[in-house]
Amino acid sequence: PTPPKITKLLAAAPELTVFGGLGGVSAYSELTRGAAGTMTGFAFPEILRAIRRAVEAGDRARAARVFDRYLPYIAFEGQPGIGLAVRKEVLRRRGALTTARTRGAALDAVTVAELDDVVARVGLTPGPDRLEVE
C-alpha cells in the first residue's frame, strides 16, 4: 500500500516531493499523508483534482466526501487486466478518444453493463463537458 510508504519516505526526507498512484484507489490517504498529488491514468482527473485541492485547503471532510462518493468508480476503473480498457471506453464517451480499442483486453457486454451501472450509481455522465465536482 502506498500511504504507509509515503509516510516513511517523508519522515526520512521531508524535502521530497512524493506522488501517489495505483489508479487513485488510495488518493485520499496518500494526500492526507503528505503526497503532492496522484500520478495515475484516470478518465475523470477533475475528481482527483478536487480531492487534492480540498486536502490542500485543509478541508479533509470535503476531500473525504468527494473520494467516498467516487470510490466505486475509481476502483472499477482500476481493475487489473481491464482497467485500461474501461478508462479508454470512458474517455471515448467523454469525446477525448475516437476509439476505445486497446492492445490488451476488450470489454465484454457484461463489463460494459457494469460500467454503465457504476457510473450511474456515483452520478457520473461521461460526456465532453468538464465535470463539476461538488
Side-chain angles (χ1 to χ4, degrees):
T2 53
K5 290 177 185 177
I6 290 168
T7 299
K8 288 178 185 176
L9 280 169
L10 293 175
E15 72 282 0
L16 287 178
T17 300
V18 180
F19 288 84
L22 295 177
V25 174
S26 297
Y28 175 77
S29 295
E30 292 167 348
L31 292 165
T32 60
R33 287 176 180 241
T38 302
M39 290 184 62
T40 185
F42 190 62
F44 290 97
E46 305 96 323
I47 293 169
L48 298 177
R49 180 179 185 227
I51 297 165
R52 181 185 51 81
R53 285 193 161 178
V55 170
E56 288 173 352
D59 191 348
R60 287 188 179 198
R62 175 173 160 47
R65 260 192 325 276
V66 173
F67 180 74
D68 292 348
R69 174 179 176 183
Y70 295 109
L71 183 57
Y73 175 77
I74 293 169
F76 189 82
E77 185 181 303
Q79 293 179 81
I82 64 164
L84 179 60
V86 170
R87 182 176 320 124
K88 288 185 85 170
E89 172 58 20
V90 173
L91 288 170
R92 185 194 64 76
R93 292 178 186 189
R94 294 196 78 185
L97 299 175
T98 57
T99 179
R101 189 174 30 238
T102 68
R103 287 177 282 200
L107 300 182
D108 60 27
V110 174
T111 305
V112 171
E114 291 171 342
L115 171 60
D116 293 338
D117 175 65
V118 74
V119 296
R121 284 188 291 122
V122 300
L124 290 170
T125 304
D129 296 329
R130 182 171 173 260
L131 177 65
E132 296 298 325
V133 181
E134 307 172 13

